[in-house]
Amino acid sequence: MGKFFGYFWIVFILYFIFAHPAIIYYNTTSYDHLELVDGKKALAYLGLSIFLWTSVFCIAFYMIYKYSFQAQKNIASILKSGKRIQAKIIESKSTPLKTKNFIHKKVILELDNFNQQKIWHSMEINDSRPNENRFEEGNLISILVDESFSKMPYIILDGIKSKVNYKLYFIWFIALLGIIYYYAFSYQLENHGFGWRFLSFDHPLIISPLVIFFICFIFWLVFVKLMGKNSFRNKESLELKFKGEKTFAKILSAEQTGTYINNQPQVKFELEYTDSLGKKQHATIKKIVSLTDLVNIHQKEKEIFYSTNNHQNVAFTDDLNEI
């Protein structure tokens, strides 16, 4: 079911990127009076279109490279020089994702961070030797952590083997050929002897890449800015969990900000806590709270992690343990 919804959203997004702009354009455009169109303006639109698509494909190639060859290089570096930590598996579950080569598992680990603070950490593991029962509850395993948190994926299983997924490069190349073909197809279909004068701002060659950037902006706005760092598996949250100090903070106030994500309100917590040097510190946490948990936001105190380098960088322990 999860895979079905994943494919549905892919098709849904692709429709609004490519099909919807094309349907609107080819049902509303007119090629009358192309001879009156300013040629310089048409070339400006062509330049804008090429710039937008070049940006899309360069960014996409960088992201694919970052999560393939660069990640593989980082994993090799962490295996060589990462900090080794022993962890206990307190929960292990197989997921529906299975192939003939491995079983996909999600495990929750209990371990001590760099400051000997007890934490929980979840990892997804591809078990290529399930008959050995290496990842059962109660077993001890070793993980390696990049101490500088500069090499993604930052935390890996000891002995991990990685390989590059070339399918993404193939999809990227096919998409590039498709856009190049569409430039040629549009020119043959629409020029009517007047060159690129048919090109306008509402043409799919311009609108489609703009829609891609708009969708990326919405994802960034919702999942990074609005939902908050503790709802997202990012570098800052991981570094705080593995390098931070644990203490209890007094909740001075807890108020809704007026922002909602999926009808779930964002709450702003004002905190006061004492650091390891005995100094009083004040900090703020904003997070999305489910409607069923709203009755519990007015607690007197709650356990937090804080950064020793930046006392404003804090997070609730419960939230960090979920990532």
Side-chain angles (χ1 to χ4, degrees):
M1 185 61 70
K3 184 179 292 187
F4 169 79
F5 278 109
Y7 289 139
F8 168 80
W9 281 110
I10 291 174
V11 173
F12 182 79
I13 292 173
L14 290 177
Y15 168 81
F16 278 99
I17 291 175
F18 298 107
H20 195 66
I23 291 172
I24 294 176
Y25 175 79
Y26 288 111
N27 281 281
T28 58
T29 192
S30 172
Y31 301 107
D32 296 336
H33 310 299
L34 286 180
E35 69 279 4
L36 301 179
V37 175
D38 185 355
K40 293 181 180 180
K41 186 177 181 180
L43 289 177
Y45 281 136
L46 178 61
L48 174 63
S49 173
I50 293 174
F51 170 76
L52 290 172
W53 279 116
T54 300
S55 300
V56 167
F57 280 99
C58 286
I59 294 173
F61 187 87
Y62 168 74
M63 295 302 294
I64 294 172
Y65 172 80
K66 179 179 178 181
Y67 288 94
S68 57
F69 287 105
Q70 185 61 54
Q72 190 177 47
K73 181 180 178 181
N74 291 345
I75 288 172
S77 177
I78 298 173
L79 284 171
K80 181 179 180 181
S81 58
K83 182 179 179 64
R84 187 183 306 274
I85 300 177
Q86 190 174 66
K88 181 180 180 180
I89 300 175
I90 60 174
E91 185 176 316
S92 178
K93 292 182 179 180
S94 297
T95 71
L97 179 61
K98 294 182 180 180
T99 71
K100 62 180 181 180
N101 297 322
F102 61 83
I103 293 179
H104 189 262
K105 288 187 174 182
K106 181 177 181 179
V107 298
I108 298 178
L109 308 174
E110 184 181 66
L111 61 144
D112 292 330
N113 73 358
F114 295 177
N115 293 317
Q116 302 304 308
Q117 304 291 328
K118 192 72 67 178
I119 60 174
W120 286 6
H121 185 67
S122 64
M123 295 185 71
E124 294 185 357
I125 296 171
N126 294 326
D127 188 2
S128 59
R129 305 195 302 273
N131 293 334
E132 297 181 12
N133 298 318
R134 295 174 296 164
F135 304 111
E136 298 301 315
E137 294 179 9
N139 288 357
L140 296 177
I141 61 173
S142 293
I143 63 172
L144 295 166
V145 184
D146 173 32
E147 294 186 76
S148 66
F149 279 85
S150 60
K151 298 181 178 66
M152 191 195 67
Y154 315 120
I155 304 160
I156 62 173
L157 184 69
D158 188 16
I160 188 175
K161 295 180 180 179
S162 62
K163 63 179 182 179
V164 174
N165 185 358
Y166 290 98
K167 292 181 181 179
L168 295 177
Y169 288 96
F170 177 75
I171 293 172
W172 180 91
F173 182 69
I174 293 299
L176 177 61
L177 291 181
I179 296 302
I180 294 173
Y181 170 79
Y182 183 54
Y183 270 97
F185 173 80
S186 298
Y187 186 84
Q188 291 294 327
L189 178 67
E190 302 178 67
N191 80 86
H192 297 286
F194 295 99
W196 289 99
R197 285 179 170 84
F198 67 89
L199 198 58
S200 58
F201 187 80
D202 61 342
H203 196 283
L205 283 172
I206 294 177
I207 293 297
S208 289
L210 288 176
V211 172
I212 293 175
F213 282 117
F214 177 75
I215 291 174
C216 292
F217 171 75
I218 293 299
F219 272 85
W220 173 82
L221 183 65
V222 171
F223 292 105
V224 178
K225 299 301 291 184
L226 295 182
M227 291 186 68
K229 65 179 182 180
N230 295 327
S231 300
F232 202 72
R233 189 185 181 92
N234 58 21
K235 171 185 174 180
E236 289 75 18
S237 296
L238 288 171
E239 188 169 12
L240 178 60
K241 179 162 69 170
F242 278 83
K243 290 185 175 182
E245 291 278 0
K246 187 189 298 185
T247 189
F248 278 90
K250 183 186 298 183
I251 300 179
L252 303 178
S253 66
E255 300 177 349
Q256 295 186 40
T257 64
T259 299
Y260 288 81
I261 302 296
N262 291 332
N263 295 321
Q264 309 294 320
Q266 184 187 64
V267 176
K268 178 181 178 182
F269 295 88
E270 295 288 347
L271 309 175
E272 179 184 81
Y273 68 94
T274 303
D275 65 19
S276 58
L277 299 178
K279 295 182 179 180
K280 293 284 187 181
Q281 304 289 346
H282 289 81
T284 300
I285 292 178
K286 290 182 180 180
K287 58 171 290 187
I288 302 300
V289 177
S290 66
L291 293 174
T292 56
D293 289 336
L294 277 179
V295 295
N296 299 319
I297 65 174
H298 298 289
Q299 301 179 41
K300 292 184 178 181
E301 62 177 16
K302 196 168 183 178
E303 191 176 64
I304 64 166
F305 270 86
Y306 68 91
S307 170
T308 55
N309 297 321
N310 178 9
H311 291 93
Q312 300 302 309
N313 183 15
V314 301
F316 293 125
T317 301
D318 292 344
D319 295 327
L320 288 181
N321 281 336
E322 290 180 359
I323 64 174

